[in-house]
Amino acid sequence: MNNSETFKRLSITKKVPLCRLFSVACSCTRTNLNMLAAQADRVMELGEWEERWQENRIGFHQPHIHKLLEKNVDQLFAGRTGVCCFFPLCGKALDMKWVADLGHSVVGVEISEKAIRQFFEENKLAYREEPVPAIPGAKVFKSSEKNITLYQCDLYSFSSSFEGKFGAIWDRGSLVAINPGDREKYASLIISLMAKDCRYLLDTFLYNPELFKGPPFLVPNEQVHSLFGESCDIELLQSVDSFTDKHRAWGVDYLTENMHLLTLKSN
């Protein structure tokens, strides 16, 4: 049983004093945050990610639309039309074309040029490429048919000076993929890219990091709040058991997937 289940059972199935519930909640929080130490020093260089794409070691790629995105797409767009949606570390996610097909525009950032070219080619989308003078060595790929623009560069070289701020962000496989030591820098970047009405869907994982070194990395709910809580209101939309044989092969014995909705605080 994980910590959240322990707390839930104590609060629902037993008449437990409030002080005891508070103690359990604090214990759960400390345990989850302490578990971060197992991966704190883990570092993946950009070249390692490019190597994975070159060798087709891309088990993180999903050959279908993400089910939690489909289920929560109304939370992402909230009835708005023509929203510009940002995909950090986008890979060749099919989610991008699906969002564009809904009538929105898409901007993504990805280090692997191979991933970007495969996205356009596998979706049979014509595209053009251009250099990005402000980022040495970077390129931008633009669809000729859909409103999809993908930057091939280091994520931390990207800023709102290129495409403005975004009305939506879909973060599947980005926060959980960056080096744990870079999370504060990452959060600052994402917040800087959020328009006032931005709705940011963030997908995170819970598992025992002592059994799997990652990536994807453990991101406890408590850390989501510590990273974004000063600037954003945060709502946990879903918490689902996503454990499969793939995760069993990692050596873990459970995996919980959490979907968060972040919006900028009005003040």
Side-chain angles (χ1 to χ4, degrees), residues 56-73:
N56 204 37
R57 294 187 291 119
I58 52 171
F60 48 83
H61 172 69
Q62 292 192 351
H64 52 75
I65 309 304
H66 196 287
K67 291 179 180 178
L68 292 184
L69 173 61
E70 286 184 307
K71 189 164 185 178
N72 292 282
V73 66

Side-chain angles (χ1 to χ4, degrees), residues 66 68-69 72 76 88 169-177 186-187 190 199-205 219-221 223-225 227-228 234-238 257-262:
H66 196 287
L68 292 184
L69 173 61
N72 292 282
L76 182 61
I169 299 174
W170 168 224
D171 187 332
R172 179 265 158 185
S174 187
L175 178 59
V176 299
Y186 179 89
I190 293 296
R199 299 177 69 83
Y200 170 26
L201 279 187
L202 170 63
D203 188 41
T204 61
F205 298 122
V219 181
N221 296 350
Q223 192 173 45
V224 173
H225 282 265
L227 290 170
F228 295 99
I234 303 168
E235 179 182 356
L236 179 62
L237 298 178
Q238 274 188 278
E257 191 169 3
N258 287 336
M259 178 72 79
H260 312 264
L261 173 65
L262 287 73

Side-chain angles (χ1 to χ4, degrees), residues 3-13:
N3 293 325
S4 61
E5 290 173 334
T6 301
F7 181 72
K8 185 176 180 181
R9 290 195 179 189
L10 281 171
S11 60
I12 293 176
T13 66

Side-chain angles (χ1 to χ4, degrees), residues 187-201:
S188 295
L189 172 62
I190 293 296
I191 291 168
S192 76
L193 295 173
M194 296 175 70
K196 289 183 179 180
D197 65 344
C198 183
R199 299 177 69 83
Y200 170 26
L201 279 187

